[in-house]
Amino acid sequence: MTLDFFRLMYPELSLILIIFTLLIIKIFDLFKQNQSLISFFNAIFNFYFASLLFSININSGELFNGMYISSSKFAFEKLILTSGTLLILLNSAVWLKNHKHLPEFYLLLVSSLLGMQYMISSGNFLMFYLGLELASIPLAALVNFDLEKKKSSEAAMKMILLSAFASGIMLFGISLIYGTSGSLDFDILQTSINANKLNIIALIFIFSGFAFKISAVPFHFWTADVYEGAPFAITAFLSTISKAVIVFVFISVLSPIFNNLQFLWSNLLLIIIPLTIFIANIFALRQRNIKRFIAFSSIAQAGYILLGLSSNNGLGFASSIFFVIIYLLSNIGFFAVVSAVSDSMGKEEIDDYKGFYKNNKKLSWALAISLFSLAGIPPTAGFFGKIFLITAGAATNHILLIAFVALNMVISLFYYLNIVKKVFVDSSQAPLADVKTGLSAKVSLIICLAGIIIIGLNGALLEYITKLINL
Amino acid sequence: MKVIGIEHIVFVSTVLFFIGIYGFLTRRNMITMLMSIELILNSVCLNFVSFNKFLYHDKLEGVFFTLFIITIAAAEAAVAIAIIINLYRSYKTIDIEEADELKF
């Protein structure tokens, strides 16, 4: 039993160990210099990542009477989240170097990651709720991490109030489910949920909470504001990792529980998807600030992911996870360039990138490749990800929806390529000077770009994910 | 004499829930909005406890869930108030309409 405990809960336990180490570092003030703490922490986190890589084939099992479930599928999902966090940490080294509260930054970020991992592995609504809150409360504190900036605290206020509101609504749904079936275990709920009126209301409440977290359209108002006010590292985290985890949770928790009500939630998604993609595209067209722009672009990408989820079969889920990986790499690659520019020059407007190619040849190409991948242009992985999502969506036989989504991809092409045009074609009186990037940011950027290109050319990853999903 | 049954309690909790939503959407003071969220969470707690007591009194899952909700609500309120205090330092107000740096 004790051995099982360590073997199955290994990813979370190591994170808890890291959290306590950070606490001790904070209390005794062990690292006087930020630089050495950054490299120390990055080394630890690298080590953690490598150990996760080897533990991916751990035997599946459950702990605490089915409260905590572990399987190789979940281990793979945790690995994706951890690698994304690692890439973001590498990117943000320059920004963090001069920050006063460095240990707290890592502490909060790791706590949030821990919450996400518990959320993925949960086998009971109580565990799920605890994971959800552990993932979202530290994030609100992180959004406020530029303490003296007005925008940052406003964004954090919006985030904490709205995410508390959303989780309150979700909890009301959970309480109704408890009322109808008398249990919170996912195993029991899978069979006991039926098309009872109370269950349908509960489903709508729980889905509203989820739609808020993934920022699907009727609940997307917080996204742009929070992304703009947050520091770059946290914007990257919010737009990639905390979206990815909701997709994973949808696949492993929500869709099996509400399998009996599938007709209802897939119809709900059919309304949400076109709205999400269309409205996000319309708003993204008119953004001037690069963070607001990426916020609306990420809402649109969430719509594409929901298309894969709406099919409710193995192929759809596998292509959603595949697309999440690609989206994570392209978005972090984009953020690596943009945050390097913001750290050294403080420029955050899209128009500042006019003539960027003149002094920054390599960064321009990196930016262009990430944007091509986000837009879905053939040699990059984004194209293949979107192809698989559309194919999976086509299985639902809603041809009009698929056509509408494909048309919207053309609209999105315009605003992604607009930036590429500004970088390469437009000239400006005073183009941005040569941007210095740190070594770690370079490493992360190279990993992202290599990932974008290799995943596009090699189909092994999708096969692997399909195998994991169908296990 | 009429006995108070589950339907009365669920009615109360539902009313409480919608009062909370109404308050959250109409009030413009951040602390009041936080209080509205607490109302929503309290309605959920009431739901859990009443379902547990009236329908499934052989197990205690609902009561345990309530305990966790109370704890987490406290943590959430603590973080929210810290953020609001920080916002007050720069804006000198806790009215949500006046904190409007971020706009479309």
mmCIF file of all heavy atoms in Angstrom, chain A residues 126 130 133 137 144 150 153-154 157 161 165 171-172 175 178-180 182 184 225 228 292 296, chain B residues 17 24 30 37 47 51-52 56 62 65 72 76 79 83 86-87 90-91 99 101-104:
data_model
loop_
_atom_site.group_PDB
_atom_site.id
_atom_site.type_symbol
_atom_site.label_atom_id
_atom_site.label_comp_id
_atom_site.label_asym_id
_atom_site.label_seq_id
_atom_site.Cartn_x
_atom_site.Cartn_y
_atom_site.Cartn_z
ATOM 1 N N LEU A 126 -15.124 15.605 -5.330
ATOM 2 C CA LEU A 126 -14.458 16.370 -4.264
ATOM 3 C C LEU A 126 -13.009 16.660 -4.648
ATOM 4 O O LEU A 126 -12.537 17.801 -4.591
ATOM 5 C CB LEU A 126 -14.522 15.572 -2.959
ATOM 6 C CG LEU A 126 -13.814 16.209 -1.777
ATOM 7 C CD1 LEU A 126 -14.359 17.586 -1.513
ATOM 8 C CD2 LEU A 126 -13.974 15.351 -0.551
ATOM 9 N N LEU A 130 -11.215 20.276 -5.472
ATOM 10 C CA LEU A 130 -10.008 20.749 -4.783
ATOM 11 C C LEU A 130 -8.914 21.078 -5.794
ATOM 12 O O LEU A 130 -8.239 22.112 -5.697
ATOM 13 C CB LEU A 130 -9.507 19.686 -3.805
ATOM 14 C CG LEU A 130 -10.378 19.453 -2.583
ATOM 15 C CD1 LEU A 130 -9.793 18.367 -1.726
ATOM 16 C CD2 LEU A 130 -10.490 20.737 -1.788
ATOM 17 N N GLU A 133 -9.669 24.381 -7.641
ATOM 18 C CA GLU A 133 -9.411 25.591 -6.866
ATOM 19 C C GLU A 133 -7.916 25.792 -6.648
ATOM 20 O O GLU A 133 -7.418 26.912 -6.719
ATOM 21 C CB GLU A 133 -10.134 25.528 -5.520
ATOM 22 C CG GLU A 133 -11.625 25.602 -5.650
ATOM 23 C CD GLU A 133 -12.098 26.912 -6.235
ATOM 24 O OE1 GLU A 133 -11.494 27.954 -5.951
ATOM 25 O OE2 GLU A 133 -13.073 26.898 -6.998
ATOM 26 N N ILE A 137 -6.731 29.522 -7.816
ATOM 27 C CA ILE A 137 -6.445 30.588 -6.843
ATOM 28 C C ILE A 137 -5.012 31.101 -6.967
ATOM 29 O O ILE A 137 -4.798 32.314 -7.040
ATOM 30 C CB ILE A 137 -6.774 30.138 -5.402
ATOM 31 C CG1 ILE A 137 -8.263 29.893 -5.273
ATOM 32 C CG2 ILE A 137 -6.368 31.198 -4.400
ATOM 33 C CD1 ILE A 137 -8.672 29.357 -3.936
ATOM 34 N N ASN A 144 -1.395 39.059 -10.595
ATOM 35 C CA ASN A 144 -1.086 40.316 -9.911
ATOM 36 C C ASN A 144 0.408 40.472 -9.658
ATOM 37 O O ASN A 144 0.818 41.218 -8.780
ATOM 38 C CB ASN A 144 -1.838 40.340 -8.580
ATOM 39 C CG ASN A 144 -2.012 41.724 -8.051
ATOM 40 O OD1 ASN A 144 -1.494 42.666 -8.631
ATOM 41 N ND2 ASN A 144 -2.731 41.856 -6.977
ATOM 42 N N LYS A 150 -0.892 49.185 -12.397
ATOM 43 C CA LYS A 150 -2.326 49.280 -12.204
ATOM 44 C C LYS A 150 -3.068 48.171 -12.932
ATOM 45 O O LYS A 150 -3.951 47.526 -12.391
ATOM 46 C CB LYS A 150 -2.818 50.622 -12.748
ATOM 47 C CG LYS A 150 -2.827 51.758 -11.761
ATOM 48 C CD LYS A 150 -3.352 52.991 -12.461
ATOM 49 C CE LYS A 150 -4.168 53.831 -11.510
ATOM 50 N NZ LYS A 150 -4.726 55.013 -12.177
ATOM 51 N N SER A 153 -3.146 44.612 -11.274
ATOM 52 C CA SER A 153 -4.058 44.312 -10.169
ATOM 53 C C SER A 153 -5.504 44.312 -10.628
ATOM 54 O O SER A 153 -6.312 43.548 -10.110
ATOM 55 C CB SER A 153 -3.855 45.280 -9.011
ATOM 56 O OG SER A 153 -3.785 46.582 -9.462
ATOM 57 N N GLU A 154 -5.805 45.148 -11.639
ATOM 58 C CA GLU A 154 -7.185 45.112 -12.150
ATOM 59 C C GLU A 154 -7.469 43.756 -12.796
ATOM 60 O O GLU A 154 -8.532 43.158 -12.579
ATOM 61 C CB GLU A 154 -7.378 46.241 -13.163
ATOM 62 C CG GLU A 154 -8.814 46.363 -13.584
ATOM 63 C CD GLU A 154 -8.978 47.329 -14.726
ATOM 64 O OE1 GLU A 154 -8.130 48.219 -14.884
ATOM 65 O OE2 GLU A 154 -9.963 47.184 -15.467
ATOM 66 N N MET A 157 -7.975 41.172 -10.136
ATOM 67 C CA MET A 157 -9.281 41.300 -9.482
ATOM 68 C C MET A 157 -10.359 40.668 -10.353
ATOM 69 O O MET A 157 -11.192 39.899 -9.873
ATOM 70 C CB MET A 157 -9.540 42.789 -9.239
ATOM 71 C CG MET A 157 -10.867 43.130 -8.647
ATOM 72 S SD MET A 157 -12.113 43.413 -9.880
ATOM 73 C CE MET A 157 -11.507 44.888 -10.664
ATOM 74 N N LEU A 161 -12.489 37.257 -9.023
ATOM 75 C CA LEU A 161 -13.940 37.362 -8.826
ATOM 76 C C LEU A 161 -14.680 36.457 -9.811
ATOM 77 O O LEU A 161 -15.577 35.705 -9.438
ATOM 78 C CB LEU A 161 -14.407 38.807 -8.998
ATOM 79 C CG LEU A 161 -14.037 39.758 -7.866
ATOM 80 C CD1 LEU A 161 -14.573 41.140 -8.157
ATOM 81 C CD2 LEU A 161 -14.605 39.267 -6.552
ATOM 82 N N PHE A 165 -16.808 33.032 -9.119
ATOM 83 C CA PHE A 165 -18.209 32.987 -9.566
ATOM 84 C C PHE A 165 -18.458 31.735 -10.398
ATOM 85 O O PHE A 165 -19.428 31.002 -10.177
ATOM 86 C CB PHE A 165 -18.478 34.257 -10.380
ATOM 87 C CG PHE A 165 -19.882 34.403 -10.860
ATOM 88 C CD1 PHE A 165 -20.917 34.547 -9.963
ATOM 89 C CD2 PHE A 165 -20.159 34.422 -12.214
ATOM 90 C CE1 PHE A 165 -22.213 34.708 -10.408
ATOM 91 C CE2 PHE A 165 -21.443 34.583 -12.665
ATOM 92 C CZ PHE A 165 -22.478 34.714 -11.764
ATOM 93 N N LEU A 171 -20.212 24.381 -8.849
ATOM 94 C CA LEU A 171 -20.512 23.649 -7.617
ATOM 95 C C LEU A 171 -21.995 23.424 -7.438
ATOM 96 O O LEU A 171 -22.422 22.374 -6.963
ATOM 97 C CB LEU A 171 -20.011 24.449 -6.416
ATOM 98 C CG LEU A 171 -18.627 24.152 -5.925
ATOM 99 C CD1 LEU A 171 -18.318 25.047 -4.767
ATOM 100 C CD2 LEU A 171 -18.550 22.718 -5.490
ATOM 101 N N PHE A 172 -22.805 24.402 -7.830
ATOM 102 C CA PHE A 172 -24.255 24.226 -7.711
ATOM 103 C C PHE A 172 -24.690 23.035 -8.570
ATOM 104 O O PHE A 172 -25.501 22.217 -8.141
ATOM 105 C CB PHE A 172 -24.975 25.505 -8.138
ATOM 106 C CG PHE A 172 -26.404 25.545 -7.703
ATOM 107 C CD1 PHE A 172 -26.712 25.824 -6.394
ATOM 108 C CD2 PHE A 172 -27.423 25.294 -8.597
ATOM 109 C CE1 PHE A 172 -28.023 25.857 -5.976
ATOM 110 C CE2 PHE A 172 -28.739 25.326 -8.188
ATOM 111 C CZ PHE A 172 -29.036 25.605 -6.876
ATOM 112 N N SER A 175 -23.770 19.909 -6.804
ATOM 113 C CA SER A 175 -24.657 19.582 -5.685
ATOM 114 C C SER A 175 -25.961 18.975 -6.201
ATOM 115 O O SER A 175 -26.507 18.060 -5.573
ATOM 116 C CB SER A 175 -24.925 20.821 -4.840
ATOM 117 O OG SER A 175 -25.871 21.642 -5.458
ATOM 118 N N TYR A 178 -25.275 15.419 -6.952
ATOM 119 C CA TYR A 178 -25.242 14.655 -5.710
ATOM 120 C C TYR A 178 -26.656 14.359 -5.237
ATOM 121 O O TYR A 178 -26.954 13.262 -4.762
ATOM 122 C CB TYR A 178 -24.464 15.422 -4.638
ATOM 123 C CG TYR A 178 -24.453 14.740 -3.306
ATOM 124 C CD1 TYR A 178 -23.766 13.556 -3.133
ATOM 125 C CD2 TYR A 178 -25.152 15.268 -2.232
ATOM 126 C CE1 TYR A 178 -23.773 12.909 -1.920
ATOM 127 C CE2 TYR A 178 -25.155 14.641 -1.015
ATOM 128 C CZ TYR A 178 -24.468 13.456 -0.861
ATOM 129 O OH TYR A 178 -24.478 12.814 0.338
ATOM 130 N N GLY A 179 -27.539 15.336 -5.396
ATOM 131 C CA GLY A 179 -28.919 15.124 -4.975
ATOM 132 C C GLY A 179 -29.603 14.023 -5.750
ATOM 133 O O GLY A 179 -30.372 13.243 -5.186
ATOM 134 N N THR A 180 -29.329 13.929 -7.052
ATOM 135 C CA THR A 180 -30.056 12.920 -7.827
ATOM 136 C C THR A 180 -29.441 11.539 -7.712
ATOM 137 O O THR A 180 -30.154 10.551 -7.787
ATOM 138 C CB THR A 180 -30.096 13.282 -9.319
ATOM 139 O OG1 THR A 180 -28.764 13.529 -9.746
ATOM 140 C CG2 THR A 180 -30.938 14.491 -9.569
ATOM 141 N N GLY A 182 -26.771 10.592 -5.315
ATOM 142 C CA GLY A 182 -26.306 10.182 -3.993
ATOM 143 C C GLY A 182 -24.861 9.772 -3.927
ATOM 144 O O GLY A 182 -24.438 9.135 -2.971
ATOM 145 N N LEU A 184 -20.583 10.855 -5.352
ATOM 146 C CA LEU A 184 -19.719 11.790 -6.066
ATOM 147 C C LEU A 184 -18.652 11.043 -6.849
ATOM 148 O O LEU A 184 -17.837 11.648 -7.518
ATOM 149 C CB LEU A 184 -19.061 12.756 -5.071
ATOM 150 C CG LEU A 184 -20.024 13.715 -4.383
ATOM 151 C CD1 LEU A 184 -19.364 14.324 -3.168
ATOM 152 C CD2 LEU A 184 -20.438 14.807 -5.324
ATOM 153 N N ASP A 225 -9.001 40.968 -20.974
ATOM 154 C CA ASP A 225 -8.557 41.863 -19.906
ATOM 155 C C ASP A 225 -7.484 41.207 -19.054
ATOM 156 O O ASP A 225 -6.461 41.813 -18.752
ATOM 157 C CB ASP A 225 -9.746 42.257 -19.023
ATOM 158 C CG ASP A 225 -10.627 43.258 -19.717
ATOM 159 O OD1 ASP A 225 -10.273 43.650 -20.835
ATOM 160 O OD2 ASP A 225 -11.657 43.628 -19.142
ATOM 161 N N GLU A 228 -4.195 40.806 -20.906
ATOM 162 C CA GLU A 228 -3.450 42.043 -21.134
ATOM 163 C C GLU A 228 -2.755 42.514 -19.864
ATOM 164 O O GLU A 228 -1.624 42.989 -19.901
ATOM 165 C CB GLU A 228 -4.387 43.145 -21.655
ATOM 166 C CG GLU A 228 -3.609 44.364 -22.110
ATOM 167 C CD GLU A 228 -4.510 45.532 -22.434
ATOM 168 O OE1 GLU A 228 -5.723 45.327 -22.564
ATOM 169 O OE2 GLU A 228 -3.991 46.643 -22.547
ATOM 170 N N ARG A 292 -3.741 41.353 -26.145
ATOM 171 C CA ARG A 292 -5.178 41.226 -26.417
ATOM 172 C C ARG A 292 -5.396 40.422 -27.676
ATOM 173 O O ARG A 292 -6.317 39.617 -27.775
ATOM 174 C CB ARG A 292 -5.814 42.603 -26.574
ATOM 175 C CG ARG A 292 -5.893 43.401 -25.320
ATOM 176 C CD ARG A 292 -6.721 44.631 -25.554
ATOM 177 N NE ARG A 292 -8.127 44.369 -25.338
ATOM 178 C CZ ARG A 292 -8.699 44.397 -24.137
ATOM 179 N NH1 ARG A 292 -7.984 44.681 -23.083
ATOM 180 N NH2 ARG A 292 -9.965 44.145 -23.995
ATOM 181 N N PHE A 296 -7.637 36.844 -28.037
ATOM 182 C CA PHE A 296 -8.737 36.478 -28.930
ATOM 183 C C PHE A 296 -8.339 35.328 -29.826
ATOM 184 O O PHE A 296 -9.168 34.459 -30.147
ATOM 185 C CB PHE A 296 -9.198 37.689 -29.729
ATOM 186 C CG PHE A 296 -10.012 38.612 -28.896
ATOM 187 C CD1 PHE A 296 -9.517 39.814 -28.469
ATOM 188 C CD2 PHE A 296 -11.284 38.244 -28.497
ATOM 189 C CE1 PHE A 296 -10.261 40.648 -27.670
ATOM 190 C CE2 PHE A 296 -12.036 39.069 -27.699
ATOM 191 C CZ PHE A 296 -11.524 40.280 -27.284
ATOM 192 N N PHE B 17 -29.092 31.084 -4.099
ATOM 193 C CA PHE B 17 -28.193 31.012 -5.252
ATOM 194 C C PHE B 17 -28.477 32.150 -6.232
ATOM 195 O O PHE B 17 -27.568 32.859 -6.670
ATOM 196 C CB PHE B 17 -28.389 29.656 -5.930
ATOM 197 C CG PHE B 17 -27.558 29.454 -7.170
ATOM 198 C CD1 PHE B 17 -26.204 29.245 -7.080
ATOM 199 C CD2 PHE B 17 -28.153 29.462 -8.419
ATOM 200 C CE1 PHE B 17 -25.442 29.039 -8.213
ATOM 201 C CE2 PHE B 17 -27.394 29.260 -9.550
ATOM 202 C CZ PHE B 17 -26.039 29.050 -9.445
ATOM 203 N N PHE B 24 -24.084 39.571 -7.719
ATOM 204 C CA PHE B 24 -22.801 39.623 -8.417
ATOM 205 C C PHE B 24 -22.910 40.452 -9.686
ATOM 206 O O PHE B 24 -21.990 41.180 -10.051
ATOM 207 C CB PHE B 24 -22.344 38.206 -8.757
ATOM 208 C CG PHE B 24 -20.976 38.139 -9.354
ATOM 209 C CD1 PHE B 24 -19.859 38.191 -8.546
ATOM 210 C CD2 PHE B 24 -20.807 38.048 -10.718
ATOM 211 C CE1 PHE B 24 -18.598 38.142 -9.088
ATOM 212 C CE2 PHE B 24 -19.542 37.990 -11.265
ATOM 213 C CZ PHE B 24 -18.444 38.045 -10.444
ATOM 214 N N MET B 30 -16.521 45.927 -4.995
ATOM 215 C CA MET B 30 -15.854 44.621 -5.079
ATOM 216 C C MET B 30 -16.133 43.751 -3.869
ATOM 217 O O MET B 30 -16.290 42.530 -3.999
ATOM 218 C CB MET B 30 -14.353 44.825 -5.219
ATOM 219 C CG MET B 30 -13.980 45.365 -6.564
ATOM 220 S SD MET B 30 -12.278 45.846 -6.588
ATOM 221 C CE MET B 30 -12.299 46.999 -7.927
ATOM 222 N N ILE B 37 -20.632 36.114 -3.983
ATOM 223 C CA ILE B 37 -20.053 34.794 -4.264
ATOM 224 C C ILE B 37 -20.192 33.889 -3.046
ATOM 225 O O ILE B 37 -20.507 32.705 -3.159
ATOM 226 C CB ILE B 37 -18.583 34.951 -4.688
ATOM 227 C CG1 ILE B 37 -18.516 35.625 -6.047
ATOM 228 C CG2 ILE B 37 -17.907 33.608 -4.772
ATOM 229 C CD1 ILE B 37 -17.136 36.037 -6.444
ATOM 230 N N ASN B 47 -27.475 22.978 0.005
ATOM 231 C CA ASN B 47 -27.911 21.884 -0.857
ATOM 232 C C ASN B 47 -27.278 20.574 -0.428
ATOM 233 O O ASN B 47 -27.965 19.572 -0.238
ATOM 234 C CB ASN B 47 -27.460 22.175 -2.290
ATOM 235 C CG ASN B 47 -28.618 22.536 -3.171
ATOM 236 O OD1 ASN B 47 -29.756 22.418 -2.746
ATOM 237 N ND2 ASN B 47 -28.327 22.970 -4.358
ATOM 238 N N PHE B 51 -29.388 17.455 1.122
ATOM 239 C CA PHE B 51 -29.462 16.201 0.372
ATOM 240 C C PHE B 51 -28.921 15.054 1.211
ATOM 241 O O PHE B 51 -29.485 13.959 1.239
ATOM 242 C CB PHE B 51 -28.664 16.300 -0.929
ATOM 243 C CG PHE B 51 -29.359 17.070 -2.001
ATOM 244 C CD1 PHE B 51 -28.650 17.941 -2.821
ATOM 245 C CD2 PHE B 51 -30.713 16.927 -2.213
ATOM 246 C CE1 PHE B 51 -29.283 18.648 -3.816
ATOM 247 C CE2 PHE B 51 -31.360 17.631 -3.205
ATOM 248 C CZ PHE B 51 -30.636 18.494 -4.000
ATOM 249 N N ASN B 52 -27.805 15.342 1.886
ATOM 250 C CA ASN B 52 -27.210 14.296 2.702
ATOM 251 C C ASN B 52 -28.150 13.874 3.826
ATOM 252 O O ASN B 52 -28.377 12.695 4.060
ATOM 253 C CB ASN B 52 -25.892 14.815 3.281
ATOM 254 C CG ASN B 52 -25.012 13.698 3.772
ATOM 255 O OD1 ASN B 52 -25.508 12.632 4.087
ATOM 256 N ND2 ASN B 52 -23.733 13.941 3.826
ATOM 257 N N TYR B 56 -29.612 10.730 1.716
ATOM 258 C CA TYR B 56 -28.546 9.725 1.793
ATOM 259 C C TYR B 56 -27.886 9.774 3.160
ATOM 260 O O TYR B 56 -26.685 9.976 3.269
ATOM 261 C CB TYR B 56 -27.514 9.981 0.692
ATOM 262 C CG TYR B 56 -28.126 10.220 -0.649
ATOM 263 C CD1 TYR B 56 -28.159 11.481 -1.210
ATOM 264 C CD2 TYR B 56 -28.696 9.157 -1.351
ATOM 265 C CE1 TYR B 56 -28.744 11.689 -2.435
ATOM 266 C CE2 TYR B 56 -29.279 9.363 -2.577
ATOM 267 C CZ TYR B 56 -29.307 10.633 -3.117
ATOM 268 O OH TYR B 56 -29.890 10.842 -4.324
ATOM 269 N N GLY B 62 -21.811 14.368 1.495
ATOM 270 C CA GLY B 62 -22.254 15.750 1.337
ATOM 271 C C GLY B 62 -21.700 16.653 2.412
ATOM 272 O O GLY B 62 -21.258 17.766 2.149
ATOM 273 N N PHE B 65 -18.073 17.334 1.790
ATOM 274 C CA PHE B 65 -17.912 18.300 0.691
ATOM 275 C C PHE B 65 -18.132 19.716 1.212
ATOM 276 O O PHE B 65 -17.401 20.639 0.878
ATOM 277 C CB PHE B 65 -18.910 17.979 -0.429
ATOM 278 C CG PHE B 65 -18.430 18.383 -1.786
ATOM 279 C CD1 PHE B 65 -18.180 17.433 -2.743
ATOM 280 C CD2 PHE B 65 -18.236 19.718 -2.116
ATOM 281 C CE1 PHE B 65 -17.728 17.785 -3.999
ATOM 282 C CE2 PHE B 65 -17.777 20.076 -3.367
ATOM 283 C CZ PHE B 65 -17.520 19.106 -4.308
ATOM 284 N N ILE B 72 -12.240 26.259 1.361
ATOM 285 C CA ILE B 72 -11.727 26.862 0.130
ATOM 286 C C ILE B 72 -12.308 28.250 -0.069
ATOM 287 O O ILE B 72 -11.620 29.155 -0.555
ATOM 288 C CB ILE B 72 -12.016 25.929 -1.055
ATOM 289 C CG1 ILE B 72 -11.048 24.766 -0.971
ATOM 290 C CG2 ILE B 72 -11.842 26.641 -2.374
ATOM 291 C CD1 ILE B 72 -11.178 23.771 -2.032
ATOM 292 N N GLU B 76 -10.159 31.508 -0.827
ATOM 293 C CA GLU B 76 -10.455 32.349 -1.986
ATOM 294 C C GLU B 76 -10.690 33.785 -1.555
ATOM 295 O O GLU B 76 -10.158 34.728 -2.164
ATOM 296 C CB GLU B 76 -11.704 31.798 -2.670
ATOM 297 C CG GLU B 76 -11.728 31.964 -4.149
ATOM 298 C CD GLU B 76 -12.690 30.979 -4.768
ATOM 299 O OE1 GLU B 76 -13.775 30.754 -4.181
ATOM 300 O OE2 GLU B 76 -12.358 30.410 -5.798
ATOM 301 N N VAL B 79 -7.362 35.536 -0.708
ATOM 302 C CA VAL B 79 -6.606 35.979 -1.886
ATOM 303 C C VAL B 79 -7.309 37.149 -2.558
ATOM 304 O O VAL B 79 -6.673 38.145 -2.939
ATOM 305 C CB VAL B 79 -6.411 34.808 -2.868
ATOM 306 C CG1 VAL B 79 -5.775 35.297 -4.147
ATOM 307 C CG2 VAL B 79 -5.563 33.746 -2.257
ATOM 308 N N ILE B 83 -5.859 40.934 -3.175
ATOM 309 C CA ILE B 83 -5.777 41.574 -4.489
ATOM 310 C C ILE B 83 -6.522 42.903 -4.479
ATOM 311 O O ILE B 83 -6.052 43.904 -5.033
ATOM 312 C CB ILE B 83 -6.340 40.626 -5.572
ATOM 313 C CG1 ILE B 83 -5.369 39.478 -5.790
ATOM 314 C CG2 ILE B 83 -6.572 41.357 -6.872
ATOM 315 C CD1 ILE B 83 -5.899 38.385 -6.656
ATOM 316 N N ASN B 86 -4.487 45.534 -2.828
ATOM 317 C CA ASN B 86 -3.424 45.971 -3.730
ATOM 318 C C ASN B 86 -3.959 46.902 -4.806
ATOM 319 O O ASN B 86 -3.320 47.888 -5.187
ATOM 320 C CB ASN B 86 -2.762 44.743 -4.361
ATOM 321 C CG ASN B 86 -1.494 45.097 -5.060
ATOM 322 O OD1 ASN B 86 -0.732 45.892 -4.542
ATOM 323 N ND2 ASN B 86 -1.272 44.537 -6.212
ATOM 324 N N LEU B 87 -5.174 46.580 -5.272
ATOM 325 C CA LEU B 87 -5.803 47.437 -6.284
ATOM 326 C C LEU B 87 -6.162 48.785 -5.680
ATOM 327 O O LEU B 87 -6.000 49.825 -6.328
ATOM 328 C CB LEU B 87 -7.055 46.736 -6.807
ATOM 329 C CG LEU B 87 -7.822 47.382 -7.936
ATOM 330 C CD1 LEU B 87 -8.181 46.331 -8.944
ATOM 331 C CD2 LEU B 87 -9.094 48.021 -7.429
ATOM 332 N N SER B 90 -3.420 51.458 -5.727
ATOM 333 C CA SER B 90 -3.126 52.227 -6.938
ATOM 334 C C SER B 90 -4.326 52.992 -7.453
ATOM 335 O O SER B 90 -4.168 54.059 -8.028
ATOM 336 C CB SER B 90 -2.553 51.319 -8.017
ATOM 337 O OG SER B 90 -3.311 50.156 -8.127
ATOM 338 N N TYR B 91 -5.529 52.499 -7.245
ATOM 339 C CA TYR B 91 -6.697 53.200 -7.803
ATOM 340 C C TYR B 91 -7.386 54.109 -6.792
ATOM 341 O O TYR B 91 -8.189 54.936 -7.177
ATOM 342 C CB TYR B 91 -7.727 52.193 -8.313
ATOM 343 C CG TYR B 91 -7.381 51.552 -9.635
ATOM 344 C CD1 TYR B 91 -6.647 50.393 -9.709
ATOM 345 C CD2 TYR B 91 -7.822 52.111 -10.832
ATOM 346 C CE1 TYR B 91 -6.342 49.805 -10.915
ATOM 347 C CE2 TYR B 91 -7.530 51.529 -12.032
ATOM 348 C CZ TYR B 91 -6.796 50.376 -12.076
ATOM 349 O OH TYR B 91 -6.505 49.798 -13.266
ATOM 350 N N ALA B 99 -12.266 51.121 -11.888
ATOM 351 C CA ALA B 99 -11.030 50.427 -12.258
ATOM 352 C C ALA B 99 -11.166 50.023 -13.723
ATOM 353 O O ALA B 99 -11.603 48.929 -14.038
ATOM 354 C CB ALA B 99 -10.825 49.210 -11.371
ATOM 355 N N GLU B 101 -8.807 50.565 -16.526
ATOM 356 C CA GLU B 101 -7.647 50.711 -17.407
ATOM 357 C C GLU B 101 -7.765 49.806 -18.629
ATOM 358 O O GLU B 101 -7.286 50.141 -19.702
ATOM 359 C CB GLU B 101 -6.373 50.347 -16.654
ATOM 360 C CG GLU B 101 -5.959 51.312 -15.591
ATOM 361 C CD GLU B 101 -4.994 52.346 -16.135
ATOM 362 O OE1 GLU B 101 -3.928 51.944 -16.598
ATOM 363 O OE2 GLU B 101 -5.319 53.529 -16.094
ATOM 364 N N LEU B 102 -8.341 48.615 -18.416
ATOM 365 C CA LEU B 102 -8.392 47.617 -19.479
ATOM 366 C C LEU B 102 -9.725 47.724 -20.195
ATOM 367 O O LEU B 102 -10.773 47.567 -19.591
ATOM 368 C CB LEU B 102 -8.245 46.224 -18.880
ATOM 369 C CG LEU B 102 -6.962 45.975 -18.115
ATOM 370 C CD1 LEU B 102 -7.102 44.772 -17.245
ATOM 371 C CD2 LEU B 102 -5.824 45.807 -19.062
ATOM 372 N N LYS B 103 -9.661 47.999 -21.478
ATOM 373 C CA LYS B 103 -10.896 48.178 -22.237
ATOM 374 C C LYS B 103 -10.746 47.594 -23.619
ATOM 375 O O LYS B 103 -9.643 47.392 -24.095
ATOM 376 C CB LYS B 103 -11.217 49.663 -22.374
ATOM 377 C CG LYS B 103 -12.124 50.186 -21.305
ATOM 378 C CD LYS B 103 -12.479 51.617 -21.634
ATOM 379 C CE LYS B 103 -13.083 52.290 -20.433
ATOM 380 N NZ LYS B 103 -12.924 53.733 -20.539
ATOM 381 N N PHE B 104 -11.882 47.391 -24.267
ATOM 382 C CA PHE B 104 -11.824 46.929 -25.659
ATOM 383 C C PHE B 104 -11.297 48.036 -26.559
ATOM 384 O O PHE B 104 -11.629 49.198 -26.372
ATOM 385 C CB PHE B 104 -13.218 46.531 -26.147
ATOM 386 C CG PHE B 104 -13.572 45.156 -25.717
ATOM 387 C CD1 PHE B 104 -14.233 44.944 -24.539
ATOM 388 C CD2 PHE B 104 -13.185 44.082 -26.491
ATOM 389 C CE1 PHE B 104 -14.543 43.671 -24.130
ATOM 390 C CE2 PHE B 104 -13.490 42.812 -26.096
ATOM 391 C CZ PHE B 104 -14.171 42.598 -24.914
#
